[in-house]
mmCIF file of all heavy atoms in Angstrom:
data_model
loop_
_atom_site.group_PDB
_atom_site.id
_atom_site.type_symbol
_atom_site.label_atom_id
_atom_site.label_comp_id
_atom_site.label_asym_id
_atom_site.label_seq_id
_atom_site.Cartn_x
_atom_site.Cartn_y
_atom_site.Cartn_z
ATOM 1 N N ASP L 1 0.812 -1.226 0.000
ATOM 2 C CA ASP L 1 0.000 0.000 0.000
ATOM 3 C C ASP L 1 0.842 1.271 0.000
ATOM 4 O O ASP L 1 0.308 2.369 -0.137
ATOM 5 C CB ASP L 1 -0.933 0.025 1.223
ATOM 6 C CG ASP L 1 -2.041 -1.003 1.120
ATOM 7 O OD1 ASP L 1 -2.330 -1.466 -0.009
ATOM 8 O OD2 ASP L 1 -2.611 -1.358 2.171
ATOM 9 N N PHE L 2 2.141 1.116 0.182
ATOM 10 C CA PHE L 2 3.052 2.258 0.239
ATOM 11 C C PHE L 2 4.237 2.013 -0.702
ATOM 12 O O PHE L 2 5.355 1.719 -0.250
ATOM 13 C CB PHE L 2 3.541 2.483 1.673
ATOM 14 C CG PHE L 2 2.435 2.715 2.661
ATOM 15 C CD1 PHE L 2 1.999 1.692 3.483
ATOM 16 C CD2 PHE L 2 1.828 3.956 2.751
ATOM 17 C CE1 PHE L 2 0.977 1.910 4.395
ATOM 18 C CE2 PHE L 2 0.805 4.183 3.655
ATOM 19 C CZ PHE L 2 0.370 3.149 4.485
ATOM 20 N N PRO L 3 4.018 2.138 -2.021
ATOM 21 C CA PRO L 3 5.088 1.835 -2.981
ATOM 22 C C PRO L 3 6.335 2.713 -2.806
ATOM 23 O O PRO L 3 7.451 2.269 -3.066
ATOM 24 C CB PRO L 3 4.443 2.051 -4.348
ATOM 25 C CG PRO L 3 3.172 2.778 -4.101
ATOM 26 C CD PRO L 3 2.787 2.539 -2.685
ATOM 27 N N MET L 4 6.146 3.936 -2.342
ATOM 28 C CA MET L 4 7.294 4.813 -2.129
ATOM 29 C C MET L 4 8.179 4.265 -1.005
ATOM 30 O O MET L 4 9.415 4.324 -1.092
ATOM 31 C CB MET L 4 6.800 6.222 -1.803
ATOM 32 C CG MET L 4 7.868 7.274 -1.863
ATOM 33 S SD MET L 4 7.119 8.907 -1.725
ATOM 34 C CE MET L 4 8.264 9.662 -0.615
ATOM 35 N N LEU L 5 7.562 3.718 0.020
ATOM 36 C CA LEU L 5 8.324 3.109 1.122
ATOM 37 C C LEU L 5 9.111 1.907 0.612
ATOM 38 O O LEU L 5 10.304 1.774 0.904
ATOM 39 C CB LEU L 5 7.387 2.684 2.257
ATOM 40 C CG LEU L 5 8.039 1.926 3.416
ATOM 41 C CD1 LEU L 5 9.126 2.752 4.085
ATOM 42 C CD2 LEU L 5 6.980 1.496 4.419
ATOM 43 N N TRP L 6 8.470 1.050 -0.162
ATOM 44 C CA TRP L 6 9.174 -0.129 -0.672
ATOM 45 C C TRP L 6 10.346 0.282 -1.557
ATOM 46 O O TRP L 6 11.426 -0.296 -1.478
ATOM 47 C CB TRP L 6 8.225 -1.071 -1.412
ATOM 48 C CG TRP L 6 8.959 -2.260 -1.945
ATOM 49 C CD1 TRP L 6 9.150 -2.585 -3.240
ATOM 50 C CD2 TRP L 6 9.654 -3.255 -1.189
ATOM 51 N NE1 TRP L 6 9.914 -3.719 -3.343
ATOM 52 C CE2 TRP L 6 10.244 -4.157 -2.096
ATOM 53 C CE3 TRP L 6 9.851 -3.474 0.178
ATOM 54 C CZ2 TRP L 6 11.005 -5.250 -1.697
ATOM 55 C CZ3 TRP L 6 10.610 -4.561 0.575
ATOM 56 C CH2 TRP L 6 11.176 -5.435 -0.350
ATOM 57 N N LYS L 7 10.129 1.293 -2.401
ATOM 58 C CA LYS L 7 11.207 1.771 -3.267
ATOM 59 C C LYS L 7 12.399 2.236 -2.422
ATOM 60 O O LYS L 7 13.549 1.889 -2.688
ATOM 61 C CB LYS L 7 10.706 2.907 -4.161
ATOM 62 C CG LYS L 7 11.761 3.470 -5.093
ATOM 63 C CD LYS L 7 12.211 2.423 -6.079
ATOM 64 C CE LYS L 7 13.106 3.015 -7.145
ATOM 65 N NZ LYS L 7 13.522 2.008 -8.110
ATOM 66 N N GLY L 8 12.118 3.024 -1.385
ATOM 67 C CA GLY L 8 13.185 3.503 -0.506
ATOM 68 C C GLY L 8 13.919 2.369 0.182
ATOM 69 O O GLY L 8 15.153 2.369 0.267
ATOM 70 N N LEU L 9 13.176 1.378 0.648
ATOM 71 C CA LEU L 9 13.801 0.232 1.320
ATOM 72 C C LEU L 9 14.685 -0.568 0.368
ATOM 73 O O LEU L 9 15.771 -1.009 0.749
ATOM 74 C CB LEU L 9 12.722 -0.667 1.929
ATOM 75 C CG LEU L 9 11.949 -0.079 3.104
ATOM 76 C CD1 LEU L 9 10.795 -0.986 3.489
ATOM 77 C CD2 LEU L 9 12.856 0.199 4.295
ATOM 78 N N THR L 10 14.241 -0.736 -0.869
ATOM 79 C CA THR L 10 15.065 -1.481 -1.826
ATOM 80 C C THR L 10 16.334 -0.705 -2.186
ATOM 81 O O THR L 10 17.388 -1.305 -2.395
ATOM 82 C CB THR L 10 14.281 -1.847 -3.109
ATOM 83 O OG1 THR L 10 13.778 -0.674 -3.719
ATOM 84 C CG2 THR L 10 13.148 -2.803 -2.801
ATOM 85 N N LEU L 11 16.232 0.620 -2.234
ATOM 86 C CA LEU L 11 17.423 1.437 -2.494
ATOM 87 C C LEU L 11 18.427 1.310 -1.345
ATOM 88 O O LEU L 11 19.628 1.201 -1.570
ATOM 89 C CB LEU L 11 17.037 2.898 -2.711
ATOM 90 C CG LEU L 11 16.188 3.203 -3.946
ATOM 91 C CD1 LEU L 11 15.717 4.655 -3.924
ATOM 92 C CD2 LEU L 11 16.941 2.895 -5.224
ATOM 93 N N VAL L 12 17.913 1.317 -0.125
ATOM 94 C CA VAL L 12 18.772 1.156 1.059
ATOM 95 C C VAL L 12 19.414 -0.221 1.039
ATOM 96 O O VAL L 12 20.624 -0.366 1.236
ATOM 97 C CB VAL L 12 17.958 1.365 2.360
ATOM 98 C CG1 VAL L 12 18.734 0.883 3.580
ATOM 99 C CG2 VAL L 12 17.587 2.832 2.512
ATOM 100 N N ARG L 13 18.619 -1.236 0.776
ATOM 101 C CA ARG L 13 19.134 -2.613 0.744
ATOM 102 C C ARG L 13 20.196 -2.767 -0.347
ATOM 103 O O ARG L 13 21.149 -3.523 -0.211
ATOM 104 C CB ARG L 13 17.980 -3.602 0.520
ATOM 105 C CG ARG L 13 18.396 -5.049 0.505
ATOM 106 C CD ARG L 13 18.852 -5.475 1.905
ATOM 107 N NE ARG L 13 19.328 -6.839 1.891
ATOM 108 C CZ ARG L 13 20.607 -7.193 1.801
ATOM 109 N NH1 ARG L 13 21.543 -6.286 1.717
ATOM 110 N NH2 ARG L 13 20.956 -8.457 1.811
ATOM 111 N N GLY L 14 20.035 -2.008 -1.425
ATOM 112 C CA GLY L 14 21.000 -2.055 -2.517
ATOM 113 C C GLY L 14 22.265 -1.262 -2.252
ATOM 114 O O GLY L 14 23.187 -1.256 -3.071
ATOM 115 N N GLY L 15 22.327 -0.558 -1.132
ATOM 116 C CA GLY L 15 23.543 0.156 -0.758
ATOM 117 C C GLY L 15 23.689 1.546 -1.359
ATOM 118 O O GLY L 15 24.788 2.093 -1.414
ATOM 119 N N MET L 16 22.588 2.153 -1.793
ATOM 120 C CA MET L 16 22.662 3.484 -2.394
ATOM 121 C C MET L 16 22.980 4.545 -1.327
ATOM 122 O O MET L 16 22.593 4.412 -0.172
ATOM 123 C CB MET L 16 21.334 3.822 -3.082
ATOM 124 C CG MET L 16 21.405 5.083 -3.909
ATOM 125 S SD MET L 16 20.012 5.253 -5.013
ATOM 126 C CE MET L 16 20.463 4.109 -6.296
ATOM 127 N N GLU L 17 23.682 5.568 -1.736
ATOM 128 C CA GLU L 17 24.053 6.668 -0.839
ATOM 129 C C GLU L 17 22.803 7.371 -0.294
ATOM 130 O O GLU L 17 21.823 7.559 -1.032
ATOM 131 C CB GLU L 17 24.917 7.691 -1.581
ATOM 132 C CG GLU L 17 26.285 7.179 -1.964
ATOM 133 C CD GLU L 17 27.165 6.897 -0.758
ATOM 134 O OE1 GLU L 17 27.119 7.645 0.231
ATOM 135 O OE2 GLU L 17 27.904 5.890 -0.814
ATOM 136 N N PRO L 18 22.833 7.786 0.986
ATOM 137 C CA PRO L 18 21.660 8.412 1.608
ATOM 138 C C PRO L 18 21.097 9.614 0.838
ATOM 139 O O PRO L 18 19.879 9.736 0.673
ATOM 140 C CB PRO L 18 22.174 8.843 2.987
ATOM 141 C CG PRO L 18 23.283 7.886 3.273
ATOM 142 C CD PRO L 18 23.924 7.606 1.940
ATOM 143 N N GLN L 19 21.968 10.509 0.345
ATOM 144 C CA GLN L 19 21.459 11.696 -0.362
ATOM 145 C C GLN L 19 20.789 11.305 -1.675
ATOM 146 O O GLN L 19 19.833 11.951 -2.115
ATOM 147 C CB GLN L 19 22.556 12.755 -0.594
ATOM 148 C CG GLN L 19 23.675 12.321 -1.512
ATOM 149 C CD GLN L 19 24.815 11.582 -0.816
ATOM 150 O OE1 GLN L 19 24.680 11.099 0.306
ATOM 151 N NE2 GLN L 19 25.952 11.485 -1.481
ATOM 152 N N ASP L 20 21.246 10.221 -2.301
ATOM 153 C CA ASP L 20 20.616 9.739 -3.533
ATOM 154 C C ASP L 20 19.246 9.139 -3.240
ATOM 155 O O ASP L 20 18.299 9.329 -4.004
ATOM 156 C CB ASP L 20 21.511 8.713 -4.237
ATOM 157 C CG ASP L 20 22.807 9.327 -4.740
ATOM 158 O OD1 ASP L 20 22.838 10.548 -5.009
ATOM 159 O OD2 ASP L 20 23.807 8.589 -4.861
ATOM 160 N N VAL L 21 19.148 8.411 -2.135
ATOM 161 C CA VAL L 21 17.860 7.828 -1.742
ATOM 162 C C VAL L 21 16.839 8.943 -1.521
ATOM 163 O O VAL L 21 15.718 8.885 -2.029
ATOM 164 C CB VAL L 21 18.004 6.958 -0.468
ATOM 165 C CG1 VAL L 21 16.639 6.508 0.041
ATOM 166 C CG2 VAL L 21 18.899 5.751 -0.738
ATOM 167 N N VAL L 22 17.234 9.984 -0.799
ATOM 168 C CA VAL L 22 16.325 11.107 -0.533
ATOM 169 C C VAL L 22 15.905 11.776 -1.840
ATOM 170 O O VAL L 22 14.718 12.074 -2.038
ATOM 171 C CB VAL L 22 16.973 12.130 0.428
ATOM 172 C CG1 VAL L 22 16.152 13.410 0.519
ATOM 173 C CG2 VAL L 22 17.158 11.520 1.809
ATOM 174 N N SER L 23 16.837 12.009 -2.736
ATOM 175 C CA SER L 23 16.514 12.657 -4.015
ATOM 176 C C SER L 23 15.533 11.822 -4.832
ATOM 177 O O SER L 23 14.570 12.351 -5.391
ATOM 178 C CB SER L 23 17.783 12.893 -4.843
ATOM 179 O OG SER L 23 18.589 13.841 -4.212
ATOM 180 N N ILE L 24 15.759 10.528 -4.890
ATOM 181 C CA ILE L 24 14.867 9.648 -5.647
ATOM 182 C C ILE L 24 13.482 9.631 -5.026
ATOM 183 O O ILE L 24 12.466 9.729 -5.733
ATOM 184 C CB ILE L 24 15.473 8.231 -5.744
ATOM 185 C CG1 ILE L 24 16.701 8.260 -6.663
ATOM 186 C CG2 ILE L 24 14.436 7.221 -6.252
ATOM 187 C CD1 ILE L 24 17.545 7.008 -6.616
ATOM 188 N N LEU L 25 13.410 9.537 -3.705
ATOM 189 C CA LEU L 25 12.101 9.515 -3.040
ATOM 190 C C LEU L 25 11.371 10.847 -3.199
ATOM 191 O O LEU L 25 10.152 10.880 -3.407
ATOM 192 C CB LEU L 25 12.257 9.156 -1.564
ATOM 193 C CG LEU L 25 12.706 7.723 -1.280
ATOM 194 C CD1 LEU L 25 12.891 7.509 0.215
ATOM 195 C CD2 LEU L 25 11.730 6.712 -1.863
ATOM 196 N N ARG L 26 12.102 11.944 -3.117
ATOM 197 C CA ARG L 26 11.492 13.268 -3.319
ATOM 198 C C ARG L 26 10.919 13.367 -4.735
ATOM 199 O O ARG L 26 9.780 13.792 -4.930
ATOM 200 C CB ARG L 26 12.520 14.367 -3.074
ATOM 201 C CG ARG L 26 11.927 15.765 -3.179
ATOM 202 C CD ARG L 26 12.965 16.851 -3.060
ATOM 203 N NE ARG L 26 13.955 16.701 -4.126
ATOM 204 C CZ ARG L 26 15.276 16.678 -3.936
ATOM 205 N NH1 ARG L 26 15.771 16.806 -2.734
ATOM 206 N NH2 ARG L 26 16.104 16.537 -4.950
ATOM 207 N N ASN L 27 11.692 12.949 -5.725
ATOM 208 C CA ASN L 27 11.214 12.984 -7.105
ATOM 209 C C ASN L 27 10.002 12.085 -7.294
ATOM 210 O O ASN L 27 9.042 12.450 -7.993
ATOM 211 C CB ASN L 27 12.327 12.557 -8.069
ATOM 212 C CG ASN L 27 13.466 13.553 -8.098
ATOM 213 O OD1 ASN L 27 13.347 14.680 -7.638
ATOM 214 N ND2 ASN L 27 14.598 13.122 -8.629
ATOM 215 N N MET L 28 10.031 10.921 -6.667
ATOM 216 C CA MET L 28 8.915 9.985 -6.760
ATOM 217 C C MET L 28 7.652 10.584 -6.141
ATOM 218 O O MET L 28 6.552 10.443 -6.686
ATOM 219 C CB MET L 28 9.286 8.673 -6.058
ATOM 220 C CG MET L 28 8.325 7.562 -6.258
ATOM 221 S SD MET L 28 8.992 6.058 -5.471
ATOM 222 C CE MET L 28 7.655 4.938 -5.858
ATOM 223 N N ALA L 29 7.801 11.273 -5.014
ATOM 224 C CA ALA L 29 6.660 11.899 -4.347
ATOM 225 C C ALA L 29 6.018 12.955 -5.240
ATOM 226 O O ALA L 29 4.796 13.012 -5.378
ATOM 227 C CB ALA L 29 7.100 12.516 -3.019
ATOM 228 N N VAL L 30 6.852 13.777 -5.859
ATOM 229 C CA VAL L 30 6.349 14.843 -6.725
ATOM 230 C C VAL L 30 5.707 14.262 -7.985
ATOM 231 O O VAL L 30 4.599 14.635 -8.358
ATOM 232 C CB VAL L 30 7.482 15.841 -7.081
ATOM 233 C CG1 VAL L 30 7.026 16.830 -8.138
ATOM 234 C CG2 VAL L 30 7.938 16.576 -5.820
ATOM 235 N N ALA L 31 6.375 13.317 -8.621
ATOM 236 C CA ALA L 31 5.868 12.735 -9.869
ATOM 237 C C ALA L 31 4.550 12.000 -9.664
ATOM 238 O O ALA L 31 3.697 11.984 -10.556
ATOM 239 C CB ALA L 31 6.902 11.789 -10.464
ATOM 240 N N ASN L 32 4.363 11.409 -8.486
ATOM 241 C CA ASN L 32 3.162 10.623 -8.218
ATOM 242 C C ASN L 32 2.153 11.339 -7.337
ATOM 243 O O ASN L 32 1.172 10.740 -6.899
ATOM 244 C CB ASN L 32 3.553 9.280 -7.593
ATOM 245 C CG ASN L 32 4.331 8.425 -8.547
ATOM 246 O OD1 ASN L 32 3.765 7.848 -9.465
ATOM 247 N ND2 ASN L 32 5.644 8.347 -8.360
ATOM 248 N N GLN L 33 2.425 12.625 -7.027
ATOM 249 C CA GLN L 33 1.536 13.425 -6.181
ATOM 250 C C GLN L 33 1.164 12.700 -4.882
ATOM 251 O O GLN L 33 -0.006 12.619 -4.494
ATOM 252 C CB GLN L 33 0.279 13.826 -6.950
ATOM 253 C CG GLN L 33 0.519 14.879 -8.008
ATOM 254 C CD GLN L 33 0.989 16.190 -7.384
ATOM 255 O OE1 GLN L 33 0.272 16.802 -6.601
ATOM 256 N NE2 GLN L 33 2.194 16.609 -7.713
ATOM 257 N N VAL L 34 2.171 12.137 -4.229
ATOM 258 C CA VAL L 34 1.976 11.464 -2.951
ATOM 259 C C VAL L 34 1.652 12.527 -1.908
ATOM 260 O O VAL L 34 2.187 13.634 -1.943
ATOM 261 C CB VAL L 34 3.254 10.669 -2.565
ATOM 262 C CG1 VAL L 34 3.097 9.994 -1.217
ATOM 263 C CG2 VAL L 34 3.572 9.641 -3.641
ATOM 264 N N ASP L 35 0.776 12.200 -0.984
ATOM 265 C CA ASP L 35 0.407 13.111 0.096
ATOM 266 C C ASP L 35 1.665 13.633 0.808
ATOM 267 O O ASP L 35 2.624 12.883 1.000
ATOM 268 C CB ASP L 35 -0.491 12.360 1.088
ATOM 269 C CG ASP L 35 -0.810 13.169 2.318
ATOM 270 O OD1 ASP L 35 -1.535 14.176 2.192
ATOM 271 O OD2 ASP L 35 -0.320 12.804 3.405
ATOM 272 N N LEU L 36 1.659 14.908 1.176
ATOM 273 C CA LEU L 36 2.819 15.533 1.817
ATOM 274 C C LEU L 36 3.235 14.796 3.085
ATOM 275 O O LEU L 36 4.416 14.474 3.265
ATOM 276 C CB LEU L 36 2.523 17.000 2.138
ATOM 277 C CG LEU L 36 3.608 17.742 2.917
ATOM 278 C CD1 LEU L 36 4.902 17.805 2.118
ATOM 279 C CD2 LEU L 36 3.141 19.128 3.292
ATOM 280 N N LEU L 37 2.293 14.514 3.970
ATOM 281 C CA LEU L 37 2.624 13.845 5.227
ATOM 282 C C LEU L 37 3.231 12.471 4.953
ATOM 283 O O LEU L 37 4.252 12.106 5.539
ATOM 284 C CB LEU L 37 1.385 13.718 6.119
ATOM 285 C CG LEU L 37 1.577 13.005 7.450
ATOM 286 C CD1 LEU L 37 2.659 13.674 8.293
ATOM 287 C CD2 LEU L 37 0.252 12.945 8.206
ATOM 288 N N GLU L 38 2.642 11.734 4.044
ATOM 289 C CA GLU L 38 3.174 10.409 3.699
ATOM 290 C C GLU L 38 4.593 10.525 3.154
ATOM 291 O O GLU L 38 5.473 9.742 3.518
ATOM 292 C CB GLU L 38 2.263 9.729 2.677
ATOM 293 C CG GLU L 38 2.696 8.326 2.332
ATOM 294 C CD GLU L 38 1.697 7.605 1.445
ATOM 295 O OE1 GLU L 38 0.484 7.837 1.572
ATOM 296 O OE2 GLU L 38 2.156 6.788 0.616
ATOM 297 N N SER L 39 4.824 11.500 2.300
ATOM 298 C CA SER L 39 6.158 11.703 1.722
ATOM 299 C C SER L 39 7.193 11.979 2.804
ATOM 300 O O SER L 39 8.285 11.396 2.800
ATOM 301 C CB SER L 39 6.144 12.868 0.734
ATOM 302 O OG SER L 39 5.230 12.640 -0.298
ATOM 303 N N LEU L 40 6.866 12.876 3.719
ATOM 304 C CA LEU L 40 7.801 13.222 4.793
ATOM 305 C C LEU L 40 8.066 12.024 5.705
ATOM 306 O O LEU L 40 9.213 11.780 6.101
ATOM 307 C CB LEU L 40 7.251 14.401 5.599
ATOM 308 C CG LEU L 40 7.107 15.717 4.839
ATOM 309 C CD1 LEU L 40 6.377 16.757 5.685
ATOM 310 C CD2 LEU L 40 8.456 16.244 4.386
ATOM 311 N N LEU L 41 7.015 11.267 6.020
ATOM 312 C CA LEU L 41 7.173 10.091 6.876
ATOM 313 C C LEU L 41 8.062 9.035 6.209
ATOM 314 O O LEU L 41 8.939 8.464 6.851
ATOM 315 C CB LEU L 41 5.808 9.492 7.213
ATOM 316 C CG LEU L 41 4.917 10.320 8.129
ATOM 317 C CD1 LEU L 41 3.518 9.716 8.200
ATOM 318 C CD2 LEU L 41 5.514 10.474 9.513
ATOM 319 N N VAL L 42 7.822 8.800 4.927
ATOM 320 C CA VAL L 42 8.618 7.791 4.211
ATOM 321 C C VAL L 42 10.073 8.219 4.143
ATOM 322 O O VAL L 42 10.980 7.421 4.434
ATOM 323 C CB VAL L 42 8.045 7.522 2.801
ATOM 324 C CG1 VAL L 42 9.039 6.738 1.948
ATOM 325 C CG2 VAL L 42 6.722 6.775 2.891
ATOM 326 N N ILE L 43 10.324 9.452 3.774
ATOM 327 C CA ILE L 43 11.715 9.904 3.645
ATOM 328 C C ILE L 43 12.444 9.829 4.981
ATOM 329 O O ILE L 43 13.542 9.282 5.073
ATOM 330 C CB ILE L 43 11.786 11.316 3.020
ATOM 331 C CG1 ILE L 43 11.338 11.255 1.553
ATOM 332 C CG2 ILE L 43 13.198 11.890 3.134
ATOM 333 C CD1 ILE L 43 11.135 12.601 0.889
ATOM 334 N N ASP L 44 11.828 10.341 6.039
ATOM 335 C CA ASP L 44 12.475 10.275 7.356
ATOM 336 C C ASP L 44 12.595 8.837 7.849
ATOM 337 O O ASP L 44 13.595 8.451 8.447
ATOM 338 C CB ASP L 44 11.712 11.117 8.376
ATOM 339 C CG ASP L 44 12.061 12.585 8.303
ATOM 340 O OD1 ASP L 44 13.015 12.933 7.586
ATOM 341 O OD2 ASP L 44 11.382 13.388 8.964
ATOM 342 N N GLY L 45 11.572 8.018 7.602
ATOM 343 C CA GLY L 45 11.598 6.626 8.033
ATOM 344 C C GLY L 45 12.676 5.828 7.331
ATOM 345 O O GLY L 45 13.429 5.081 7.963
#
């Protein structure tokens, strides 16, 4: 139910740099019009 969270977790598991993970998740949130609160929670989580 939270594809942005899964994407972030797979990036972390793959060893991607933290700033790259944040940039990808931010872009994903904007491109998919994810709710602001959900976006902030996923990125911080």
